[in-house]
PDB file of all heavy atoms in Angstrom:
ATOM      1  N   PRO A   2      93.569 102.426  96.671  1.00 92.00           N
ATOM      2  CA  PRO A   2      94.900 103.022  96.519  1.00 92.00           C
ATOM      3  C   PRO A   2      94.893 104.505  96.137  1.00 92.00           C
ATOM      4  O   PRO A   2      93.882 105.027  95.661  1.00 92.00           O
ATOM      5  CB  PRO A   2      95.527 102.189  95.400  1.00 92.00           C
ATOM      6  CG  PRO A   2      94.357 101.748  94.583  1.00 92.00           C
ATOM      7  CD  PRO A   2      93.249 101.488  95.582  1.00 92.00           C
ATOM      8  N   VAL A   3      96.042 105.128  96.366  1.00 94.00           N
ATOM      9  CA  VAL A   3      96.251 106.525  95.998  1.00 94.00           C
ATOM     10  C   VAL A   3      96.848 106.561  94.601  1.00 94.00           C
ATOM     11  O   VAL A   3      97.915 105.978  94.365  1.00 94.00           O
ATOM     12  CB  VAL A   3      97.219 107.217  96.989  1.00 94.00           C
ATOM     13  CG1 VAL A   3      97.409 108.686  96.614  1.00 94.00           C
ATOM     14  CG2 VAL A   3      96.712 107.077  98.418  1.00 94.00           C
ATOM     15  N   ARG A   4      96.152 107.211  93.672  1.00 94.00           N
ATOM     16  CA  ARG A   4      96.641 107.309  92.297  1.00 94.00           C
ATOM     17  C   ARG A   4      97.600 108.496  92.199  1.00 94.00           C
ATOM     18  O   ARG A   4      97.173 109.653  92.155  1.00 94.00           O
ATOM     19  CB  ARG A   4      95.478 107.491  91.329  1.00 94.00           C
ATOM     20  CG  ARG A   4      94.445 106.384  91.381  1.00 94.00           C
ATOM     21  CD  ARG A   4      95.019 105.045  90.940  1.00 94.00           C
ATOM     22  NE  ARG A   4      94.040 103.960  91.066  1.00 94.00           N
ATOM     23  CZ  ARG A   4      94.309 102.685  90.811  1.00 94.00           C
ATOM     24  NH1 ARG A   4      95.528 102.338  90.403  1.00 94.00           N
ATOM     25  NH2 ARG A   4      93.381 101.758  90.970  1.00 94.00           N
ATOM     26  N   VAL A   5      98.893 108.221  92.193  1.00 93.00           N
ATOM     27  CA  VAL A   5      99.887 109.287  92.204  1.00 93.00           C
ATOM     28  C   VAL A   5     101.236 108.736  91.747  1.00 93.00           C
ATOM     29  O   VAL A   5     101.518 107.550  91.909  1.00 93.00           O
ATOM     30  CB  VAL A   5     100.021 109.875  93.634  1.00 93.00           C
ATOM     31  CG1 VAL A   5     100.617 108.858  94.598  1.00 93.00           C
ATOM     32  CG2 VAL A   5     100.810 111.170  93.642  1.00 93.00           C
ATOM     33  N   THR A   6     102.045 109.588  91.153  1.00 93.00           N
ATOM     34  CA  THR A   6     103.398 109.204  90.760  1.00 93.00           C
ATOM     35  C   THR A   6     104.397 109.740  91.786  1.00 93.00           C
ATOM     36  O   THR A   6     104.084 110.646  92.571  1.00 93.00           O
ATOM     37  CB  THR A   6     103.770 109.764  89.383  1.00 93.00           C
ATOM     38  OG1 THR A   6     103.844 111.203  89.462  1.00 93.00           O
ATOM     39  CG2 THR A   6     102.740 109.358  88.333  1.00 93.00           C
ATOM     40  N   HIS A   7     105.595 109.201  91.763  1.00 92.00           N
ATOM     41  CA  HIS A   7     106.646 109.684  92.663  1.00 92.00           C
ATOM     42  C   HIS A   7     106.961 111.152  92.369  1.00 92.00           C
ATOM     43  O   HIS A   7     107.226 111.928  93.294  1.00 92.00           O
ATOM     44  CB  HIS A   7     107.904 108.828  92.507  1.00 92.00           C
ATOM     45  CG  HIS A   7     107.713 107.412  92.935  1.00 92.00           C
ATOM     46  ND1 HIS A   7     108.734 106.486  92.953  1.00 92.00           N
ATOM     47  CD2 HIS A   7     106.607 106.750  93.383  1.00 92.00           C
ATOM     48  CE1 HIS A   7     108.265 105.320  93.379  1.00 92.00           C
ATOM     49  NE2 HIS A   7     106.969 105.456  93.631  1.00 92.00           N
ATOM     50  N   GLN A   8     106.910 111.538  91.106  1.00 90.00           N
ATOM     51  CA  GLN A   8     107.194 112.922  90.735  1.00 90.00           C
ATOM     52  C   GLN A   8     106.137 113.860  91.304  1.00 90.00           C
ATOM     53  O   GLN A   8     106.448 114.972  91.746  1.00 90.00           O
ATOM     54  CB  GLN A   8     107.261 113.070  89.214  1.00 90.00           C
ATOM     55  CG  GLN A   8     107.599 114.478  88.738  1.00 90.00           C
ATOM     56  CD  GLN A   8     108.929 114.970  89.278  1.00 90.00           C
ATOM     57  OE1 GLN A   8     109.945 114.286  89.156  1.00 90.00           O
ATOM     58  NE2 GLN A   8     108.931 116.137  89.900  1.00 90.00           N
ATOM     59  N   GLU A   9     104.886 113.423  91.310  1.00 91.00           N
ATOM     60  CA  GLU A   9     103.813 114.264  91.852  1.00 91.00           C
ATOM     61  C   GLU A   9     103.972 114.457  93.359  1.00 91.00           C
ATOM     62  O   GLU A   9     103.739 115.548  93.880  1.00 91.00           O
ATOM     63  CB  GLU A   9     102.455 113.641  91.515  1.00 91.00           C
ATOM     64  CG  GLU A   9     102.097 113.775  90.039  1.00 91.00           C
ATOM     65  CD  GLU A   9     100.896 112.935  89.646  1.00 91.00           C
ATOM     66  OE1 GLU A   9     100.551 111.982  90.383  1.00 91.00           O
ATOM     67  OE2 GLU A   9     100.285 113.210  88.601  1.00 91.00           O
ATOM     68  N   ILE A  10     104.378 113.391  94.069  1.00 92.00           N
ATOM     69  CA  ILE A  10     104.625 113.529  95.509  1.00 92.00           C
ATOM     70  C   ILE A  10     105.797 114.483  95.737  1.00 92.00           C
ATOM     71  O   ILE A  10     105.758 115.337  96.631  1.00 92.00           O
ATOM     72  CB  ILE A  10     104.927 112.158  96.149  1.00 92.00           C
ATOM     73  CG1 ILE A  10     103.731 111.220  95.989  1.00 92.00           C
ATOM     74  CG2 ILE A  10     105.266 112.330  97.629  1.00 92.00           C
ATOM     75  CD1 ILE A  10     103.994 109.809  96.503  1.00 92.00           C
ATOM     76  N   ALA A  11     106.834 114.356  94.932  1.00 89.00           N
ATOM     77  CA  ALA A  11     108.001 115.240  95.059  1.00 89.00           C
ATOM     78  C   ALA A  11     107.594 116.692  94.875  1.00 89.00           C
ATOM     79  O   ALA A  11     108.049 117.577  95.616  1.00 89.00           O
ATOM     80  CB  ALA A  11     109.073 114.841  94.043  1.00 89.00           C
ATOM     81  N   ALA A  12     106.737 116.958  93.897  1.00 88.00           N
ATOM     82  CA  ALA A  12     106.278 118.328  93.652  1.00 88.00           C
ATOM     83  C   ALA A  12     105.465 118.855  94.826  1.00 88.00           C
ATOM     84  O   ALA A  12     105.561 120.031  95.193  1.00 88.00           O
ATOM     85  CB  ALA A  12     105.452 118.386  92.366  1.00 88.00           C
ATOM     86  N   GLU A  13     104.666 117.974  95.430  1.00 87.00           N
ATOM     87  CA  GLU A  13     103.851 118.378  96.568  1.00 87.00           C
ATOM     88  C   GLU A  13     104.717 118.743  97.769  1.00 87.00           C
ATOM     89  O   GLU A  13     104.437 119.699  98.498  1.00 87.00           O
ATOM     90  CB  GLU A  13     102.892 117.253  96.965  1.00 87.00           C
ATOM     91  CG  GLU A  13     101.758 117.033  96.013  1.00 87.00           C
ATOM     92  CD  GLU A  13     100.744 118.156  96.058  1.00 87.00           C
ATOM     93  OE1 GLU A  13     100.433 118.623  97.154  1.00 87.00           O
ATOM     94  OE2 GLU A  13     100.288 118.574  94.987  1.00 87.00           O
ATOM     95  N   LEU A  14     105.785 117.996  97.983  1.00 87.00           N
ATOM     96  CA  LEU A  14     106.564 118.120  99.213  1.00 87.00           C
ATOM     97  C   LEU A  14     107.868 118.876  99.032  1.00 87.00           C
ATOM     98  O   LEU A  14     108.640 119.025  99.986  1.00 87.00           O
ATOM     99  CB  LEU A  14     106.843 116.727  99.790  1.00 87.00           C
ATOM    100  CG  LEU A  14     105.595 115.903 100.141  1.00 87.00           C
ATOM    101  CD1 LEU A  14     105.987 114.555 100.716  1.00 87.00           C
ATOM    102  CD2 LEU A  14     104.715 116.654 101.122  1.00 87.00           C
ATOM    103  N   GLY A  15     108.150 119.353  97.820  1.00 81.00           N
ATOM    104  CA  GLY A  15     109.360 120.127  97.595  1.00 81.00           C
ATOM    105  C   GLY A  15     110.624 119.291  97.666  1.00 81.00           C
ATOM    106  O   GLY A  15     111.665 119.745  98.151  1.00 81.00           O
ATOM    107  N   SER A  16     110.546 118.062  97.179  1.00 81.00           N
ATOM    108  CA  SER A  16     111.689 117.163  97.203  1.00 81.00           C
ATOM    109  C   SER A  16     112.011 116.740  95.768  1.00 81.00           C
ATOM    110  O   SER A  16     111.526 117.345  94.806  1.00 81.00           O
ATOM    111  CB  SER A  16     111.371 115.940  98.074  1.00 81.00           C
ATOM    112  OG  SER A  16     112.483 115.090  98.206  1.00 81.00           O
ATOM    113  N   SER A  17     112.854 115.719  95.633  1.00 78.00           N
ATOM    114  CA  SER A  17     113.177 115.194  94.307  1.00 78.00           C
ATOM    115  C   SER A  17     112.535 113.823  94.130  1.00 78.00           C
ATOM    116  O   SER A  17     112.232 113.128  95.114  1.00 78.00           O
ATOM    117  CB  SER A  17     114.694 115.064  94.131  1.00 78.00           C
ATOM    118  OG  SER A  17     115.212 114.055  94.982  1.00 78.00           O
ATOM    119  N   ARG A  18     112.327 113.433  92.893  1.00 83.00           N
ATOM    120  CA  ARG A  18     111.712 112.136  92.622  1.00 83.00           C
ATOM    121  C   ARG A  18     112.572 111.005  93.179  1.00 83.00           C
ATOM    122  O   ARG A  18     112.053 110.000  93.684  1.00 83.00           O
ATOM    123  CB  ARG A  18     111.517 111.954  91.117  1.00 83.00           C
ATOM    124  CG  ARG A  18     110.807 110.649  90.737  1.00 83.00           C
ATOM    125  CD  ARG A  18     110.741 110.472  89.233  1.00 83.00           C
ATOM    126  NE  ARG A  18     112.062 110.448  88.635  1.00 83.00           N
ATOM    127  CZ  ARG A  18     112.880 109.378  88.662  1.00 83.00           C
ATOM    128  NH1 ARG A  18     112.495 108.257  89.270  1.00 83.00           N
ATOM    129  NH2 ARG A  18     114.056 109.441  88.090  1.00 83.00           N
ATOM    130  N   GLU A  19     113.903 111.162  93.095  1.00 81.00           N
ATOM    131  CA  GLU A  19     114.800 110.114  93.567  1.00 81.00           C
ATOM    132  C   GLU A  19     114.648 109.876  95.070  1.00 81.00           C
ATOM    133  O   GLU A  19     114.614 108.735  95.540  1.00 81.00           O
ATOM    134  CB  GLU A  19     116.251 110.476  93.235  1.00 81.00           C
ATOM    135  CG  GLU A  19     116.587 110.464  91.745  1.00 81.00           C
ATOM    136  CD  GLU A  19     116.065 111.695  91.008  1.00 81.00           C
ATOM    137  OE1 GLU A  19     115.663 112.674  91.684  1.00 81.00           O
ATOM    138  OE2 GLU A  19     116.047 111.671  89.764  1.00 81.00           O
ATOM    139  N   VAL A  20     114.550 110.974  95.829  1.00 83.00           N
ATOM    140  CA  VAL A  20     114.371 110.849  97.282  1.00 83.00           C
ATOM    141  C   VAL A  20     113.043 110.175  97.592  1.00 83.00           C
ATOM    142  O   VAL A  20     112.964 109.258  98.426  1.00 83.00           O
ATOM    143  CB  VAL A  20     114.442 112.234  97.962  1.00 83.00           C
ATOM    144  CG1 VAL A  20     113.988 112.146  99.416  1.00 83.00           C
ATOM    145  CG2 VAL A  20     115.859 112.783  97.889  1.00 83.00           C
ATOM    146  N   ILE A  21     111.984 110.602  96.922  1.00 87.00           N
ATOM    147  CA  ILE A  21     110.671 110.021  97.153  1.00 87.00           C
ATOM    148  C   ILE A  21     110.669 108.537  96.802  1.00 87.00           C
ATOM    149  O   ILE A  21     110.103 107.711  97.532  1.00 87.00           O
ATOM    150  CB  ILE A  21     109.587 110.761  96.342  1.00 87.00           C
ATOM    151  CG1 ILE A  21     109.523 112.240  96.748  1.00 87.00           C
ATOM    152  CG2 ILE A  21     108.234 110.084  96.524  1.00 87.00           C
ATOM    153  CD1 ILE A  21     109.238 112.480  98.210  1.00 87.00           C
ATOM    154  N   SER A  22     111.304 108.184  95.709  1.00 88.00           N
ATOM    155  CA  SER A  22     111.346 106.782  95.291  1.00 88.00           C
ATOM    156  C   SER A  22     112.029 105.910  96.340  1.00 88.00           C
ATOM    157  O   SER A  22     111.568 104.794  96.632  1.00 88.00           O
ATOM    158  CB  SER A  22     112.073 106.652  93.942  1.00 88.00           C
ATOM    159  OG  SER A  22     111.346 107.278  92.915  1.00 88.00           O
ATOM    160  N   ARG A  23     113.123 106.406  96.916  1.00 85.00           N
ATOM    161  CA  ARG A  23     113.819 105.632  97.949  1.00 85.00           C
ATOM    162  C   ARG A  23     112.933 105.429  99.178  1.00 85.00           C
ATOM    163  O   ARG A  23     112.897 104.339  99.759  1.00 85.00           O
ATOM    164  CB  ARG A  23     115.121 106.334  98.351  1.00 85.00           C
ATOM    165  CG  ARG A  23     116.228 106.221  97.310  1.00 85.00           C
ATOM    166  CD  ARG A  23     117.588 106.538  97.917  1.00 85.00           C
ATOM    167  NE  ARG A  23     117.654 107.908  98.408  1.00 85.00           N
ATOM    168  CZ  ARG A  23     118.043 108.949  97.665  1.00 85.00           C
ATOM    169  NH1 ARG A  23     118.383 108.752  96.398  1.00 85.00           N
ATOM    170  NH2 ARG A  23     118.100 110.152  98.168  1.00 85.00           N
ATOM    171  N   ILE A  24     112.213 106.472  99.563  1.00 88.00           N
ATOM    172  CA  ILE A  24     111.337 106.366 100.735  1.00 88.00           C
ATOM    173  C   ILE A  24     110.185 105.409 100.461  1.00 88.00           C
ATOM    174  O   ILE A  24     109.841 104.575 101.308  1.00 88.00           O
ATOM    175  CB  ILE A  24     110.810 107.757 101.138  1.00 88.00           C
ATOM    176  CG1 ILE A  24     111.977 108.619 101.641  1.00 88.00           C
ATOM    177  CG2 ILE A  24     109.729 107.643 102.204  1.00 88.00           C
ATOM    178  CD1 ILE A  24     111.608 110.060 101.879  1.00 88.00           C
ATOM    179  N   VAL A  25     109.587 105.511  99.281  1.00 91.00           N
ATOM    180  CA  VAL A  25     108.485 104.618  98.913  1.00 91.00           C
ATOM    181  C   VAL A  25     108.960 103.161  98.893  1.00 91.00           C
ATOM    182  O   VAL A  25     108.271 102.259  99.390  1.00 91.00           O
ATOM    183  CB  VAL A  25     107.896 105.023  97.548  1.00 91.00           C
ATOM    184  CG1 VAL A  25     106.965 103.925  97.014  1.00 91.00           C
ATOM    185  CG2 VAL A  25     107.137 106.346  97.664  1.00 91.00           C
ATOM    186  N   GLU A  26     110.134 102.939  98.335  1.00 87.00           N
ATOM    187  CA  GLU A  26     110.685 101.583  98.299  1.00 87.00           C
ATOM    188  C   GLU A  26     110.911 101.044  99.700  1.00 87.00           C
ATOM    189  O   GLU A  26     110.654  99.857  99.981  1.00 87.00           O
ATOM    190  CB  GLU A  26     111.988 101.575  97.508  1.00 87.00           C
ATOM    191  CG  GLU A  26     111.798 101.771  96.009  1.00 87.00           C
ATOM    192  CD  GLU A  26     113.118 101.990  95.277  1.00 87.00           C
ATOM    193  OE1 GLU A  26     114.182 101.883  95.939  1.00 87.00           O
ATOM    194  OE2 GLU A  26     113.084 102.277  94.064  1.00 87.00           O
ATOM    195  N   ASP A  27     111.366 101.899 100.610  1.00 86.00           N
ATOM    196  CA  ASP A  27     111.583 101.481 101.984  1.00 86.00           C
ATOM    197  C   ASP A  27     110.258 101.132 102.663  1.00 86.00           C
ATOM    198  O   ASP A  27     110.152 100.109 103.358  1.00 86.00           O
ATOM    199  CB  ASP A  27     112.286 102.599 102.766  1.00 86.00           C
ATOM    200  CG  ASP A  27     112.498 102.238 104.229  1.00 86.00           C
ATOM    201  OD1 ASP A  27     113.281 101.312 104.508  1.00 86.00           O
ATOM    202  OD2 ASP A  27     111.864 102.874 105.094  1.00 86.00           O
ATOM    203  N   LEU A  28     109.245 101.969 102.461  1.00 92.00           N
ATOM    204  CA  LEU A  28     107.930 101.704 103.056  1.00 92.00           C
ATOM    205  C   LEU A  28     107.336 100.412 102.505  1.00 92.00           C
ATOM    206  O   LEU A  28     106.722  99.631 103.247  1.00 92.00           O
ATOM    207  CB  LEU A  28     106.987 102.879 102.788  1.00 92.00           C
ATOM    208  CG  LEU A  28     107.353 104.223 103.448  1.00 92.00           C
ATOM    209  CD1 LEU A  28     106.388 105.309 102.985  1.00 92.00           C
ATOM    210  CD2 LEU A  28     107.347 104.108 104.959  1.00 92.00           C
ATOM    211  N   ALA A  29     107.540 100.180 101.213  1.00 90.00           N
ATOM    212  CA  ALA A  29     107.035  98.954 100.600  1.00 90.00           C
ATOM    213  C   ALA A  29     107.797  97.744 101.136  1.00 90.00           C
ATOM    214  O   ALA A  29     107.208  96.686 101.402  1.00 90.00           O
ATOM    215  CB  ALA A  29     107.154  99.044  99.083  1.00 90.00           C
ATOM    216  N   GLY A  30     109.121  97.891 101.302  1.00 87.00           N
ATOM    217  CA  GLY A  30     109.933  96.798 101.820  1.00 87.00           C
ATOM    218  C   GLY A  30     109.560  96.406 103.239  1.00 87.00           C
ATOM    219  O   GLY A  30     109.725  95.250 103.639  1.00 87.00           O
ATOM    220  N   ARG A  31     109.043  97.365 104.003  1.00 88.00           N
ATOM    221  CA  ARG A  31     108.615  97.093 105.373  1.00 88.00           C
ATOM    222  C   ARG A  31     107.187  96.557 105.438  1.00 88.00           C
ATOM    223  O   ARG A  31     106.675  96.275 106.527  1.00 88.00           O
ATOM    224  CB  ARG A  31     108.721  98.370 106.212  1.00 88.00           C
ATOM    225  CG  ARG A  31     110.146  98.863 106.402  1.00 88.00           C
ATOM    226  CD  ARG A  31     110.173 100.232 107.069  1.00 88.00           C
ATOM    227  NE  ARG A  31     111.522 100.746 107.179  1.00 88.00           N
ATOM    228  CZ  ARG A  31     112.339 100.550 108.207  1.00 88.00           C
ATOM    229  NH1 ARG A  31     111.903  99.827 109.246  1.00 88.00           N
ATOM    230  NH2 ARG A  31     113.559 101.041 108.234  1.00 88.00           N
ATOM    231  N   GLY A  32     106.523  96.473 104.277  1.00 92.00           N
ATOM    232  CA  GLY A  32     105.173  95.928 104.233  1.00 92.00           C
ATOM    233  C   GLY A  32     104.096  96.916 104.627  1.00 92.00           C
ATOM    234  O   GLY A  32     102.946  96.532 104.874  1.00 92.00           O
ATOM    235  N   LEU A  33     104.444  98.203 104.666  1.00 94.00           N
ATOM    236  CA  LEU A  33     103.466  99.216 105.063  1.00 94.00           C
ATOM    237  C   LEU A  33     102.569  99.611 103.896  1.00 94.00           C
ATOM    238  O   LEU A  33     101.399  99.944 104.088  1.00 94.00           O
ATOM    239  CB  LEU A  33     104.175 100.463 105.608  1.00 94.00           C
ATOM    240  CG  LEU A  33     104.600 100.425 107.081  1.00 94.00           C
ATOM    241  CD1 LEU A  33     105.601  99.303 107.347  1.00 94.00           C
ATOM    242  CD2 LEU A  33     105.211 101.766 107.482  1.00 94.00           C
ATOM    243  N   ILE A  34     103.146  99.596 102.689  1.00 93.00           N
ATOM    244  CA  ILE A  34     102.398  99.953 101.497  1.00 93.00           C
ATOM    245  C   ILE A  34     102.753  98.983 100.372  1.00 93.00           C
ATOM    246  O   ILE A  34     103.751  98.258 100.445  1.00 93.00           O
ATOM    247  CB  ILE A  34     102.696 101.402 101.025  1.00 93.00           C
ATOM    248  CG1 ILE A  34     104.157 101.515 100.559  1.00 93.00           C
ATOM    249  CG2 ILE A  34     102.383 102.413 102.116  1.00 93.00           C
ATOM    250  CD1 ILE A  34     104.484 102.859  99.917  1.00 93.00           C
ATOM    251  N   GLU A  35     101.930  98.995  99.358  1.00 93.00           N
ATOM    252  CA  GLU A  35     102.239  98.291  98.110  1.00 93.00           C
ATOM    253  C   GLU A  35     102.385  99.349  97.028  1.00 93.00           C
ATOM    254  O   GLU A  35     101.510 100.204  96.869  1.00 93.00           O
ATOM    255  CB  GLU A  35     101.131  97.316  97.739  1.00 93.00           C
ATOM    256  CG  GLU A  35     101.414  96.546  96.448  1.00 93.00           C
ATOM    257  CD  GLU A  35     100.286  95.589  96.088  1.00 93.00           C
ATOM    258  OE1 GLU A  35      99.260  95.596  96.787  1.00 93.00           O
ATOM    259  OE2 GLU A  35     100.438  94.851  95.099  1.00 93.00           O
ATOM    260  N   ALA A  36     103.516  99.316  96.334  1.00 92.00           N
ATOM    261  CA  ALA A  36     103.804 100.335  95.328  1.00 92.00           C
ATOM    262  C   ALA A  36     103.714  99.734  93.933  1.00 92.00           C
ATOM    263  O   ALA A  36     104.384  98.742  93.622  1.00 92.00           O
ATOM    264  CB  ALA A  36     105.191 100.927  95.555  1.00 92.00           C
ATOM    265  N   GLU A  37     102.848 100.330  93.118  1.00 91.00           N
ATOM    266  CA  GLU A  37     102.724  99.957  91.713  1.00 91.00           C
ATOM    267  C   GLU A  37     102.913 101.213  90.875  1.00 91.00           C
ATOM    268  O   GLU A  37     102.917 102.326  91.405  1.00 91.00           O
ATOM    269  CB  GLU A  37     101.345  99.351  91.446  1.00 91.00           C
ATOM    270  CG  GLU A  37     101.063  98.102  92.260  1.00 91.00           C
ATOM    271  CD  GLU A  37      99.647  97.595  92.025  1.00 91.00           C
ATOM    272  OE1 GLU A  37      98.703  98.313  92.392  1.00 91.00           O
ATOM    273  OE2 GLU A  37      99.517  96.508  91.458  1.00 91.00           O
ATOM    274  N   ARG A  38     103.054 101.058  89.577  1.00 89.00           N
ATOM    275  CA  ARG A  38     103.232 102.219  88.719  1.00 89.00           C
ATOM    276  C   ARG A  38     101.996 103.119  88.791  1.00 89.00           C
ATOM    277  O   ARG A  38     100.891 102.707  88.436  1.00 89.00           O
ATOM    278  CB  ARG A  38     103.477 101.787  87.273  1.00 89.00           C
ATOM    279  CG  ARG A  38     103.695 102.968  86.304  1.00 89.00           C
ATOM    280  CD  ARG A  38     103.983 102.487  84.905  1.00 89.00           C
ATOM    281  NE  ARG A  38     105.258 101.778  84.840  1.00 89.00           N
ATOM    282  CZ  ARG A  38     106.431 102.366  84.678  1.00 89.00           C
ATOM    283  NH1 ARG A  38     106.499 103.683  84.573  1.00 89.00           N
ATOM    284  NH2 ARG A  38     107.543 101.649  84.623  1.00 89.00           N
ATOM    285  N   GLY A  39     102.188 104.321  89.260  1.00 91.00           N
ATOM    286  CA  GLY A  39     101.096 105.287  89.322  1.00 91.00           C
ATOM    287  C   GLY A  39     100.126 105.092  90.455  1.00 91.00           C
ATOM    288  O   GLY A  39      99.074 105.732  90.496  1.00 91.00           O
ATOM    289  N   ALA A  40     100.446 104.213  91.427  1.00 94.00           N
ATOM    290  CA  ALA A  40      99.517 103.973  92.529  1.00 94.00           C
ATOM    291  C   ALA A  40     100.246 103.448  93.760  1.00 94.00           C
ATOM    292  O   ALA A  40     101.219 102.695  93.657  1.00 94.00           O
ATOM    293  CB  ALA A  40      98.435 102.980  92.118  1.00 94.00           C
ATOM    294  N   LEU A  41      99.755 103.862  94.933  1.00 95.00           N
ATOM    295  CA  LEU A  41     100.262 103.377  96.215  1.00 95.00           C
ATOM    296  C   LEU A  41      99.072 102.897  97.041  1.00 95.00           C
ATOM    297  O   LEU A  41      98.072 103.608  97.168  1.00 95.00           O
ATOM    298  CB  LEU A  41     100.990 104.487  96.979  1.00 95.00           C
ATOM    299  CG  LEU A  41     102.178 105.142  96.288  1.00 95.00           C
ATOM    300  CD1 LEU A  41     102.686 106.318  97.117  1.00 95.00           C
ATOM    301  CD2 LEU A  41     103.295 104.133  96.052  1.00 95.00           C
ATOM    302  N   THR A  42      99.181 101.679  97.591  1.00 95.00           N
ATOM    303  CA  THR A  42      98.119 101.123  98.418  1.00 95.00           C
ATOM    304  C   THR A  42      98.631 100.950  99.840  1.00 95.00           C
ATOM    305  O   THR A  42      99.651 100.292 100.057  1.00 95.00           O
ATOM    306  CB  THR A  42      97.647  99.765  97.883  1.00 95.00           C
ATOM    307  OG1 THR A  42      97.213  99.914  96.525  1.00 95.00           O
ATOM    308  CG2 THR A  42      96.506  99.212  98.733  1.00 95.00           C
ATOM    309  N   VAL A  43      97.944 101.538 100.813  1.00 94.00           N
ATOM    310  CA  VAL A  43      98.333 101.376 102.214  1.00 94.00           C
ATOM    311  C   VAL A  43      97.868 100.005 102.695  1.00 94.00           C
ATOM    312  O   VAL A  43      96.684  99.676 102.603  1.00 94.00           O
ATOM    313  CB  VAL A  43      97.735 102.493 103.095  1.00 94.00           C
ATOM    314  CG1 VAL A  43      98.063 102.238 104.572  1.00 94.00           C
ATOM    315  CG2 VAL A  43      98.267 103.851 102.673  1.00 94.00           C
ATOM    316  N   LEU A  44      98.799  99.219 103.219  1.00 94.00           N
ATOM    317  CA  LEU A  44      98.492  97.878 103.714  1.00 94.00           C
ATOM    318  C   LEU A  44      98.344  97.847 105.230  1.00 94.00           C
ATOM    319  O   LEU A  44      97.615  97.012 105.762  1.00 94.00           O
ATOM    320  CB  LEU A  44      99.601  96.899 103.294  1.00 94.00           C
ATOM    321  CG  LEU A  44      99.887  96.795 101.793  1.00 94.00           C
ATOM    322  CD1 LEU A  44     101.061  95.857 101.553  1.00 94.00           C
ATOM    323  CD2 LEU A  44      98.654  96.328 101.038  1.00 94.00           C
TER     324      LEU A  44
END
């Protein structure tokens, strides 16, 4: 997995944590990734 927070991704991409969280939740809901606190695993 990738050890990263939603805030860190937001800082990297010039977005907000809220936007990143919604996208991560959508990707997880589609079964593409598994999202845990401080980590994302590509499935």
Side-chain angles (χ1 to χ4, degrees):
V3 181
R4 302 295 177 183
V5 67
T6 66
H7 295 184
Q8 182 58 52
E9 288 169 341
I10 298 176
E13 288 289 319
L14 300 181
S16 184
S17 68
R18 183 185 59 78
E19 292 77 13
V20 169
I21 300 302
S22 294
R23 286 198 298 270
I24 293 172
V25 167
E26 289 170 5
D27 178 67
L28 295 175
R31 294 172 184 270
L33 277 61
I34 66 173
E35 181 181 5
E37 300 176 295
R38 181 178 294 275
L41 302 174
T42 303
V43 175
L44 303 176

